[in-house]
């Protein structure tokens, strides 16, 4: 192939591909999220990336969304999953008789959206989802479990967030009281823009929808409340006597009792939280970072009445939380907020001097069995070049194995951080390195 | 949606989807493989599932393989990766100037093959790949590193395998000596069938290719040798004076020196190992399970001269190993060879009695922070039903929290295995559970 025409190596745009050094950081974050899910006794699930198109399009009544990657293979119309919720619904509907409820599952996996590539948008990205599915009913304690877990995750990642919480019934109740239920979705869409376009523009949008000034100020009044849960709950409970509205207030009250019991911090009531998805029916929440409001929601979730309504008559209420890890990682990376990058995952590099490679390999087995990430540098470069490279890669320890060392059974262990070198048996080397790890 | 027409929930055939209980076992195996890769200082890489079709089809000169899932999105012809090697080649070619060599990377990810579904074949499956890429040259020590790692993985998984090892140069040299280089691929294909169709049928195939009896028996003689490396190497070195052939013998000699130094067990020379892929050029190896020869190769790999020849003029020799985890898991599952399935990942379940849910949530936080997988059972079922369910799920510990317990600050910890129950403070509970974990 030398000299022949080459294909230019390039990847698709909108697809994240990290350097191995950064991938270590990404994997560590993912591992921490997985740990929190497991610690909370959610069970893992790994559904296929590909589904029958009719399954993924069930929600839209079969209409093809431009964002969905789909294709025919033989007689089968196949689509790539665009979230982890529809596959969960399909899984639960298929296995509803054998699952034990409440069914708590997590899934960390890639999802696909073929939208126009733009800054900060990815066509392939990791979602980290956890949901609790009930059979017929599901108590508010499940909502608290999901909100608390979102808090725990960011706490574990050392990222300070505020979790803004509302309940869909608050605004639904007010809209019902105003006799505007027919315009519910348009009103919610307008209110959802409040943070972005400001109060005046939102007002104008609501006026365009034909709302009178009294209703507009009632809605904006509720949506701009924010703050300490105890005071706000008292205030909220006085604003309307509508039943749906008061159901929302009571659910929020119960939710905050549980969140306080868990010890979850930085959870506030914010009735201005709307969350786009129409399927949320109760608790809704999103986490944002006070230090970086421009990041928007870095995690979110909510309660839905009926997970699998397109697949089964069974009533399966649920509540879930989700983190878009690829986007979050990208934001942290661009703002230098990632934990310091390691240059490698090597703890010990063994460098043979002279004809000692076989001995070095045996030593590598010894140190690996001792739990140390070890590699033997069998490269043909000079000893000096190898030491320099180990330094650049910030490898903490280098073991130098010359022919004399092999005879004596003691080796030169170099601590690369402070530059000291000691002659030790392999057992002493292991002890020294482990003390440090 | 109640009562409306439902879409039948089903998944695509040929796609594995495990129950959450089995998924825990799968994830544990995957975690162990990842640990071995990290312990050996391979760096993680996570390339996209989708690539430009021209990249994935580079090898075939742009010809569309029926097995590849591909589709158009706008003006872009997109394909799903069918292995992790071509994406690695693309990555290395794109980043060849900034990588440090030898470049050791691992990737565990799903790949896609749209072939006809048949027993034991999957259209979506996990590959666990590790490769070492050199710049211009790469010593045989790298081959030993990959073979040894394959051994280490199966050792860690408690699965007894034999690693059958050969070198492509052995048969290439013999064929060269016979003046049959033009028919090389056909001859290798015939010899590759030896295990399946037996010596007589292979002989017939070679006769059909026009080979004379002397050449046929020389080839079959080498291919049926097997056994202890020292004796075999001595024997092999006497069978031909062809330079290519002797290169193969010498590389095998060096490889076994290193494998012995590592302490890798059950590695044998088997010149009958062919490995389908044409791109292997030196060491080739595959692991099989003596207790289950019908499983075929459960892991394999080899040396190739030029990883990225379709993308760059740079000479990048490599060696790699790969495990098809989905297929392996399926085989182990069907033969009852998986480690015993846990019924859940729950270590402690807290059951509230009376109005104690908030206290239980606070206790859950305490135990989770102490490293215990904990869940609170806020279900509306009776206490008896909850205890029974905990027993079915084989949850090791249940903490019963009644209103008196809340007053006293001591709780009833039930050891579900032996049925004993003790009244303890939360600190004592944590100590008891941790001792057991």
């Amino acid at each position: 192939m030398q000299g022949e025409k080459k294909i230019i190596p390039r990847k698709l745009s909108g697809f994240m591909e990290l350097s191995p050094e950064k991938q270590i950081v990404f994997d560590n974050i993912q591992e921490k999220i997985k740990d929190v899910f497991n610690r909370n006794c959610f069970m893992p699930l790994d559904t296929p990336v590909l589904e029958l198109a009719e399954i993924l399009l069930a929600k839209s009544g079969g209409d093809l969304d431009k964002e969905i990657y789909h294709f025919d293979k033989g007689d089968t119309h196949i689509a790539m999953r665009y979230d982890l919720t529809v596959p969960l619904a399909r899984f639960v509907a298929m296995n509803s008789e054998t699952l034990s409820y409440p069914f708590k599952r997590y899934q960390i996996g890639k999802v696909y959206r073929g939208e126009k590539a733009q800054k900060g948008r990815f066509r392939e990205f990791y979602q980290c989802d956890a949901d609790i599915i009930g059979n017929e009913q599901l108590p508010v304690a499940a909502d608290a479990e999901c909100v608390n877990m979102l808090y725990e995750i960011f706490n574990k990642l050392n990222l300070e967030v505020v979790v803004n919480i509302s309940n869909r019934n608050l605004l639904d109740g007010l809209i019902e009281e105003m006799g505007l239920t027919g315009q519910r979705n348009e009103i919610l869409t307008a209110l959802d823009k409040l943070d972005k376009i400001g109060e005046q523009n939102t007002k104008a949008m609501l006026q365009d929808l034909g709302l009178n000034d009294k209703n507009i100020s009632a809605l904006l009044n509720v949506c701009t409340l924010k703050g300490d849960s105890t005071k706000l709950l008292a205030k909220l409970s006085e604003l309307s006597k509508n039943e749906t509205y008061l159901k929302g207030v009571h659910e929020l009250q119960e939710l905050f009792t549980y969140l306080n019991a868990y010890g979850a911090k930085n959870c506030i009531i914010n009735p201005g939280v709307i969350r786009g998805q129409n399927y949320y029916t109760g608790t809704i929440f999103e986490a944002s970072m006070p230090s970086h409001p421009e990041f928007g929601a870095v995690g979110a979730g909510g309660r839905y009445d009926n997970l699998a309504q397109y697949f089964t008559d069974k009533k399966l209420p649920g509540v879930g939380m989700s983190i878009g890890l690829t986007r979050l990682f990208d934001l942290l990376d661009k703002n230098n907020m990632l934990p310091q990058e390691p240059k490698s995952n090597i703890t010990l590099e063994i460098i043979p001097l002279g004809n000692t490679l076989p001995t070095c390999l045996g030593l590598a087995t010894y140190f690996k069995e001792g739990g140390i990430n070890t590699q033997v540098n069998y490269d043909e470069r000079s000893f000096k070049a190898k030491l320099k490279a180990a330094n650049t890669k910030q490898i903490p320890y280098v073991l130098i194995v010359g022919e004399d060392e092999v005879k004596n059974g003691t080796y030169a262990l170099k601590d690369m951080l402070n530059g000291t070198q000691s002659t030790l048996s392999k057992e002493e080397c292991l002890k020294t390195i482990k003390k440090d790890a």
Side-chain angles (χ1 to χ4, degrees), chain A residues 238-249:
Chain A
E238 289 165 4
L239 290 180
S240 162
K241 297 255 171 286
N242 174 278
E243 220 175 285
T244 307
Y245 177 87
L246 287 176
K247 183 169 181 267
V249 175

Side-chain angles (χ1 to χ4, degrees), chain A residues 312-433:
Chain A
T312 173
D313 275 330
K314 247 182 131 96
K315 206 188 162 204
L316 301 164
V319 58
M321 55 134 287
S322 177
I323 294 173
L325 183 54
T326 301
R327 178 175 168 274
L328 175 62
F329 186 89
D330 187 54
L331 287 170
L332 295 175
D333 188 14
K334 290 198 169 119
N335 288 274
N336 293 313
M337 292 167 72
L338 289 176
Q340 223 207 324
E341 250 175 81
K343 300 285 183 207
S344 79
N345 53 2
I346 310 168
T347 304
L348 172 66
E349 178 162 293
I350 305 180
I351 302 182
L353 272 182
N355 201 9
T356 65
L357 182 52
T359 304
C360 292
L361 301 181
L363 286 168
T365 296
Y366 174 78
F367 289 111
K368 284 188 291 175
E369 282 173 357
I372 307 296
N373 290 5
T374 309
Q375 80 171 4
V376 176
N377 191 332
Y378 45 69
D379 225 27
E380 284 177 4
R381 277 178 294 178
S382 71
F383 175 68
K384 229 178 155 180
K386 286 179 185 179
L387 259 196
K388 206 180 146 194
N391 202 40
T392 310
K393 285 187 189 170
Q394 299 175 344
I395 298 173
Y397 287 99
V398 165
L399 191 73
I400 303 153
V401 180
E403 293 176 5
D404 281 350
E405 277 86 356
V406 174
K407 267 183 226 146
N408 302 333
T410 55
Y411 314 94
L413 183 70
K414 198 174 169 74
D415 182 326
M416 297 296 281
L417 199 66
N418 61 29
T420 58
Q421 187 168 316
S422 342
T423 302
L424 303 168
S425 70
K426 64 179 180 181
E427 291 82 6
E428 290 165 335
C429 290
L430 182 61
K431 222 182 275 177
T432 305
I433 299 168

Side-chain angles (χ1 to χ4, degrees), chain A residues 33-48:
Chain A
I33 295 174
K34 199 176 154 184
D35 282 349
V36 174
F37 288 156
N38 276 314
R39 190 68 82 228
N40 282 279
C41 305
F42 283 65
M43 301 274 276
L45 188 67
D46 184 10
T47 63

Side-chain angles (χ1 to χ4, degrees), chain A residues 110-111 150 164 182 202 233 258 352 404 411:
Chain A
K110 287 176 168 181
V111 303
L150 188 65
N164 293 272
T202 309
L233 282 168
Y258 300 148
D404 281 350
Y411 314 94

Side-chain angles (χ1 to χ4, degrees), chain A residues 30-197:
Chain A
Q30 192 179 305
E31 206 57 44
K32 280 181 181 169
I33 295 174
K34 199 176 154 184
D35 282 349
V36 174
F37 288 156
N38 276 314
R39 190 68 82 228
N40 282 279
C41 305
F42 283 65
M43 301 274 276
L45 188 67
D46 184 10
T47 63
V49 167
L50 299 181
E51 297 270 356
L52 286 161
E54 64 181 66
I55 297 288
L56 294 191
L57 302 174
K59 239 197 235 177
S60 61
D63 271 357
L64 261 175
D65 191 310
K66 264 189 214 159
E67 286 194 0
I68 300 181
Y69 288 113
H70 62 100
F71 53 91
D72 289 310
K73 181 87 187 169
D75 297 334
T76 317
H77 191 193
I78 297 177
M80 298 182 80
R81 66 184 180 207
Y82 59 87
D83 73 5
L84 300 175
T85 308
V86 180
L88 171 65
R90 194 261 310 144
F91 175 84
V92 173
M94 270 175 78
N95 300 282
S96 62
E97 297 305 324
T98 55
L99 295 174
S100 100
Y101 299 91
F103 174 56
K104 294 161 64 174
R105 88 86 180 78
Y106 73 85
Q107 181 161 7
I108 299 176
K110 287 176 168 181
V111 303
Y112 296 83
R113 297 197 189 164
E115 59 190 329
K116 280 227 166 93
Q118 10 171 337
K119 217 183 141 201
R121 291 277 183 124
F122 292 94
R123 289 170 168 159
E124 175 187 67
F125 55 96
Y126 277 96
Q127 291 224 144
C128 308
D129 276 23
D131 290 81
I132 308 175
I133 313 300
N135 191 2
E136 296 289 333
Q137 55 80 32
L138 189 67
V140 174
D143 304 38
E145 202 172 354
C146 286
V147 176
N148 181 57
M149 200 157 62
L150 188 65
Y151 158 76
E152 283 185 351
I153 287 171
F154 283 103
N155 194 33
K156 183 136 188 186
L157 297 178
N158 276 319
L159 295 172
E160 212 189 302
V161 296
V162 168
V163 186
N164 293 272
I165 306 172
S166 184
N167 190 298
R168 181 55 42 97
N169 291 308
L170 294 184
L171 291 175
D172 276 357
L174 291 182
I175 291 168
E176 197 179 291
E177 196 176 29
M178 296 167 186
L180 298 170
T181 304
Q183 283 177 288
R184 173 197 185 256
N185 289 352
E186 293 85 344
I187 295 173
L188 290 183
T189 304
L191 291 173
D192 198 16
K193 296 209 158 67
L194 190 55
D195 263 2
K196 273 187 201 151
I197 64 174

